[in-house]
Amino acid sequence: MTVRTNLNVRRLVYDSYNEELLEELARLPEVWDCTGCHTCAVRCPKGLKPVEVLYALRQQMVESGKVQPTVRDALESVFLEGNPWGKPRATRFDWMEGLDVKTAEEGEQVEYLFFVCCSIAYDPKLQVVAQNMVKILEKAGVDYAFLGEEEACCASEVQALGEEDLFEEMSEENTELLNKYPAQKIVTLSPHCLSALKKYEGLEAEIIHYTELLAELIEEEKLSWSGEFAKKVVYHDPCYLGKQNDVFDEPRKVLQSVPGIELVEFTRSRERSLCCEGGGGKMWVESESTEERLAETRAKSAGALEAQVIACACPFCILTLDDAVKAVGYEEEMEVLEITEILGKVME
Amino acid sequence: MKTFVAIKYVPDTSEAEINLDSTGMGVDTSRFSFDINEADNYAVEEAVQIKENHGGSVSVVSIGPQDSEVTIRMALAKGGDNAIRIEDSRIFEHDPLAVAKVLASSIKDQECDLVMTGCMANDDGNMSVGVALAEELGVPHAAMVKQVEVLDGKVRAHRELEGGLMEVVELTLPAVLTIQTGINEPRYAPIKGIRQAKKKELKVMSLDDLGLPADQVDESASKIKLNQMYIPEVEAKAEFIEGEDAEEKAVKLAEVLKKGGLV
Amino acid sequence: MGDVFVLIEHRQGELRDINWEMLNMASQVASDFEGEVVSVLLGSGVDDFADKLSGACSKVLYVDDPKLENFNADMYQKVLSSLIDEHKPTIVMVGHTASGVDLAPALAVEKDLPYLTDLIELRNEGGKPVAVRQYYQGKVNAEFSFADADTYLFTIREAAFEPIEPAQKGSVEKVESPVKEEIDYRKFVEYVEAEIGEVDITQSDMLIGIGRGVKEDKNMPMMEELAQLFSADLCGSRAAVDSGWLPHDRQVGTSGKSVKPKLYFAVGISGAFQHLAGIKGAKTIVAINKDANAPIFAEADYGVVDDLFKVVPKLVEELKEG
């Protein structure tokens, strides 16, 4: 999909074999257009991941210290404060205020241990995802715990931005932290954390996305909804959940369980989902392209379906699609909602 | 060129609510993130660029707690060669003249062509340490520098005045420059570099190690006495400007802006 | 003696506003300390300045010397030091300005004076000075007292005091410079005007931030007019840049620039987290948005909840008049 950028991943892979060209290639602006969607990996007939070449080229720039100020700031922030948003560590758990959240005790076995994403923890717009999650878990009577201290960035975007050494450090620290709290499964709220944690070495528990847990709870009839959400909803497959982790059905099962919902599909759904451009470190580095943002194309597709809601299960998709819906002027007729936000409306 | 860069470890108070600590003589910093003072970061970058262009070395000096070592290592990773961290609870840090004396004692007996530090610390806003340091060292200085040109035995500094006007001065070396933000674009210190920087010397020194008697820089030596800190009375966030209609609100807003010297 | 010295700032043929602010503050202080206000004017051939200043203080001490034509911190320091020795003022005030901070700390060290910066308040308590300054970008006030001394040195915050209304007729004492030799270790070379053209919004003092609420490109002239009235640069949210109203280097936020102006005037910006992260260095934030719940209001110092297309034109009208 190169409507938006000059990024020709095939060409870059081919040219990267020539070591002498590496420095020049690393400095190409389109290297920073990659969103890490992994469509290239999905499509490669040899089962390779060309995206890794992009990340390696970025690593060259990172190691020379010559990255854009926004990238520099995000990486320094993860290094110093455990999140890419320039927020202090001490306020990471402010989202818990007013809620009775069960936090993990060292050495105490728990069935589901939750890992909250930095964006969800700090962004007032996204905190509702974690807050609603707690309410749902309480309602279902699940044996859960959240990390109350020391939780830090999964470093998914750190790796995508080319800071492989920092990703390694964070993965070691997080692995040590998570292993302190014996759990059957670690549940992530963000598909990015899901992808990142799955790369860690030595994590004792299995890692799943929250939609996988909720789908199971709904099947086991441990969760039911009382209200109605009578809207036409189209589900947008997040690249990091679908293409990278093959989680396609569970979010749909969860949405279908909502009374009154009319669930429709994009033509480009599942593995063909159109990336919202939130991943691959793109929240911190803009493309030079002046072509229409993919998220806006997606919003228009939703408009063509006459969908009232674009439902999503990824914090970055939420942010980029929400901006896009407003940019194309649809905000009166359409909203972008995280799945937990929809569930929150039918919970009481 | 042998350059010294003085850096400070400061809290980021830009967003959060500030509360006084239990003594009333300081603030509760437990919920803040700490980092290198912004202007000092620019000074580090400038020093490293001078080293890259003219050769020589960069020494980093800082008065700060153990926690501040991470920012010192980041400065070393960017191109610093060695560092000194000074820690001594007796230093009366509210007094920029005391801070300058302490820094001077770490530089005084060393070979030194240039000293740079940020023109202002974001926590106290004194804008004084660098210039006071110059006087302590007995060398010329220029404050608020936005551009540096190293010449033979001299340095040409562009001082940024109000309104963006630049005052160009020429100083003989050794000299002290206080650096204004925006002079350059600080590089990123990659983790690889920070790990390698662990091999560089980071000496921790007390006043005794510096050979500086505490009674020259402690509270009793200072001519300023902090009585108390207090939170100024401010209107609650967002004073909403009311009015019957948009036009009336606009008129009131204009008044507020004029009164506040904002226009 | 109780006298208050005020070091006068002038540049390129003009007296700066801070002088009138300091002279106003000084007159109150001088009266508290039972002394007089003396303007200390260092320069060359600036008799007209001396005359103007004499309308705002008891005395102008005017050192007329070619070596003092342009500000040179070291030269000014030497002269001022000598004048302090001779006249022994109780208080010496210097502006907390680019030139003031280039001089004052060195003078404080040289003469071992009690020294405090960026004062917003100065009073007499039992015959001794008590001063207030701020920490953490204005979020905390701190009150200081001082060791007893013959002379205290303070730098005074700009735009913190009202300017004085000239009313008196003070005397002008013109003297020769006590410093006879030229300084060779610091030379004034030249002034260089600010470059017009490339704007680096991260260094801008005044910014107008525009957002989605501005709706269309054809509304930009109104924003440009507003910016001009504030001598501000224009910048905006990602929405404004995406819509093509501003070039990419004017984007503010986590994927754009971080700004720290004295004033950030947000027009039609909702205040998404990613944008707010870019303006946390702003000193004062004013916001206009028709949505009372827009997150920008949680960060703003002043807010107007109304239609910006009605507020802005009227605001422009009001500011043009005044």
Side-chain angles (χ1 to χ4, degrees), chain C residues 254-269:
Chain C
T254 45
S255 60
K257 305 236 163 92
S258 283
V259 297
K260 48 190 170 78
K262 283 201 198 106
L263 172 68
Y264 188 80
F265 196 146
V267 181
I269 287 183

Side-chain angles (χ1 to χ4, degrees), chain C residues 23-314:
Chain C
L23 286 171
N24 192 6
M25 193 232 193
S27 69
Q28 181 59 53
V29 173
S31 128
D32 287 346
F33 282 87
E34 291 164 19
E36 295 194 317
V37 179
V38 178
S39 295
V40 178
L41 173 64
L42 312 185
S44 181
V46 287
D47 297 63
D48 53 329
F49 286 171
D51 189 53
K52 200 154 179 216
L53 289 163
S54 66
C57 60
S58 306
K59 180 164 103 171
V60 179
L61 192 52
Y62 170 25
V63 184
D64 185 6
D65 189 296
K67 297 192 289 297
L68 300 172
E69 184 186 345
N70 291 298
F71 178 77
N72 178 322
D74 290 87
M75 180 57 92
Y76 275 45
Q77 177 187 342
K78 282 187 187 301
V79 172
L80 192 49
S81 181
S82 175
L83 292 177
I84 290 170
D85 286 341
E86 192 187 326
H87 298 270
K88 301 197 201 310
T90 303
I91 289 170
V92 176
M93 289 185 183
V94 174
H96 193 73
T97 63
S99 297
V101 302
D102 202 16
L103 183 157
L107 183 65
V109 172
E110 181 209 324
K111 306 192 79 61
D112 197 18
L113 302 173
Y115 167 67
L116 201 70
T117 70
D118 201 23
L119 263 59
I120 54 171
E121 198 183 311
L122 178 62
R123 36 180 217 274
N124 178 329
E125 274 182 21
K128 310 273 159 79
V130 171
V132 177
R133 67 180 311 278
Q134 294 191 314
Y135 283 70
Y136 306 110
Q137 329 257 292
K139 291 187 174 180
V140 175
N141 281 13
E143 185 193 277
F144 282 84
S145 294
F146 307 91
D148 286 347
D150 292 330
T151 303
Y152 303 85
L153 175 61
F154 302 123
T155 70
I156 308 298
R157 176 175 289 187
E158 255 186 313
F161 299 95
E162 293 292 311
I164 196 169
E165 294 289 338
Q168 355 180 354
K169 204 50 196 147
S171 60
V172 176
E173 187 185 322
K174 195 183 208 183
V175 299
E176 269 181 26
S177 173
V179 180
K180 305 299 178 193
E181 305 236 311
E182 188 68 85
I183 285 177
D184 61 354
Y185 47 86
R186 173 172 173 153
K187 284 199 181 73
F188 169 83
V189 176
E190 59 179 349
Y191 284 116
V192 175
E193 292 291 338
E195 269 168 39
I196 309 164
E198 280 269 338
V199 170
D200 180 0
I201 58 172
T202 66
Q203 306 302 313
S204 297
D205 252 354
M206 308 287 278
L207 285 172
I208 309 285
I210 64 171
R212 190 169 284 123
V214 166
K215 290 226 167 68
E216 311 175 78
D217 194 42
K218 75 173 208 287
N219 296 320
M220 282 306 287
M222 175 169 67
M223 297 301 135
E224 277 154 18
E225 205 181 353
L226 186 66
Q228 263 199 20
L229 285 167
F230 286 88
S231 305
D233 295 315
L234 276 172
C235 65
S237 65
R238 214 174 73 143
V241 171
D242 279 357
S243 303
W245 307 330
L246 290 171
H248 183 61
D249 66 356
R250 302 294 181 106
Q251 185 173 319
V252 173
T254 45
S255 60
K257 305 236 163 92
S258 283
V259 297
K260 48 190 170 78
K262 283 201 198 106
L263 172 68
Y264 188 80
F265 196 146
V267 181
I269 287 183
S270 66
F273 175 83
Q274 288 72 20
H275 183 77
L276 292 181
I279 64 172
K280 63 182 193 175
K283 194 143 198 280
T284 304
I285 298 173
V286 177
I288 305 179
N289 194 300
K290 64 177 194 261
D291 177 8
N293 294 317
I296 188 86
F297 289 123
E299 296 307 312
D301 297 284
Y302 299 102
V304 176
V305 180
D306 216 309
D307 183 351
L308 71 94
F309 296 108
K310 295 202 182 116
V311 178
V312 173
K314 184 71 183 164

Side-chain angles (χ1 to χ4, degrees), chain A residues 59 62-67 69 71-73 75-76 79-81 85-91 94 97 163 165-166 168-169, chain B residues 9 12 15-16 30-36 41-42 70-71 74 78 184-195 198:
Chain A
Q59 193 177 351
V62 162
E63 284 179 7
S64 74
K66 296 192 181 86
V67 287
V71 175
R72 169 199 72 201
D73 291 346
L75 294 174
E76 278 184 6
F79 177 60
L80 291 173
E81 296 297 318
W85 298 110
K87 295 284 192 181
R89 265 184 221 272
T91 62
D94 282 5
E97 222 169 287
E163 236 304 9
D165 293 298
L166 181 55
E168 261 172 47
E169 250 185 51
Chain B
Y9 185 63
D12 179 357
E15 287 175 44
S30 59
R31 279 171 55 92
F32 296 142
S33 59
F34 278 74
D35 200 354
I36 184 174
N41 197 27
Y42 285 93
V70 65
T71 53
M74 286 165 85
K78 291 178 189 182
N184 53 42
E185 191 62 74
R187 68 195 62 193
Y188 171 64
I191 301 306
K192 199 180 206 150
I194 296 176
R195 282 191 200 142
K198 291 210 170 123

